[in-house]
Amino acid sequence: MKEWLDDIRMELQTLKSCVERLDKQIDQLEQRLEEAGKHLEPASATAEPVPVPPTLPPRGFNCANARTSLRHGFSLNDSFRFTRELFSGDTSRMNRLLDALDKAGTLETAIGLFKDEVLLPDDNEAVADFMELLRKHFN
């Protein structure tokens, strides 16, 4: 039960960081709009200034495909499953590996870190699924 609560807390923290990042992007866009409005001068005294549209994230943008943290690519089910099957229920061990993987510069480095930590064969279904998420994250 405690492991489930820890997993839920981890997922909530992930969601909070995603919301915080999106809030920062909104603040940046609002600031750009304000700056753009200051630089525009109406063609005449009675004309309304034309607002400059903000640079929006690409269509289909979501937290899962933002390259900030590998854990954003995990569903809640993935997180529970990987914790249980790859890390013997040890959430903190998985979190430490995810932090290290986020710092890895290349897919090859990340795969090496993963294989050093998770001593299961590559034909294990959970290992294969985790490796696929790694590939998606680094591509």
Side-chain angles (χ1 to χ4, degrees):
M1 185 65 112
K2 183 180 181 327
E3 291 173 5
W4 286 349
L5 290 173
D6 290 342
D7 288 341
I8 291 170
R9 284 186 185 104
M10 181 187 73
E11 290 298 320
L12 283 173
Q13 184 59 39
T14 300
L15 290 172
K16 285 178 184 177
S17 67
C18 186
V19 168
E20 287 172 2
R21 192 176 62 259
L22 291 174
D23 280 341
K24 287 179 186 177
Q25 288 179 347
I26 289 170
D27 291 343
Q28 290 172 349
L29 290 173
E30 288 173 343
Q31 185 177 5
R32 284 184 189 171
L33 276 175
E34 287 176 17
E35 289 172 3
K38 291 177 186 175
H39 297 299
L40 290 177
E41 294 186 22
S44 69
T46 59
E48 292 289 321
V50 178
V52 176
T55 304
L56 296 175
R59 190 175 187 120
F61 174 84
N62 63 37
C63 292
N65 66 16
R67 184 136 179 334
T68 57
S69 175
L70 179 62
R71 75 188 62 190
H72 290 138
F74 289 2
S75 70
L76 185 59
N77 287 339
D78 287 336
S79 181
F80 288 134
R81 178 175 164 229
F82 293 146
T83 300
R84 183 182 64 244
E85 294 181 23
L86 301 179
F87 300 95
S88 303
D90 188 347
T91 304
S92 62
R93 186 173 149 223
M94 184 173 92
N95 287 335
R96 282 191 305 273
L97 178 62
L98 290 175
D99 290 339
L101 292 173
D102 284 338
K103 295 173 186 168
T106 65
L107 174 61
E108 292 76 22
T109 304
I111 289 173
L113 290 168
F114 177 73
K115 287 186 175 185
D116 287 346
E117 181 68 30
V118 177
L119 304 174
L120 293 172
D122 289 344
D123 62 348
N124 178 295
E125 188 176 344
V127 169
D129 291 345
F130 194 96
M131 296 290 272
E132 183 60 29
L133 286 171
L134 273 178
R135 285 184 190 89
K136 287 179 183 177
H137 179 71
F138 281 94
N139 289 333

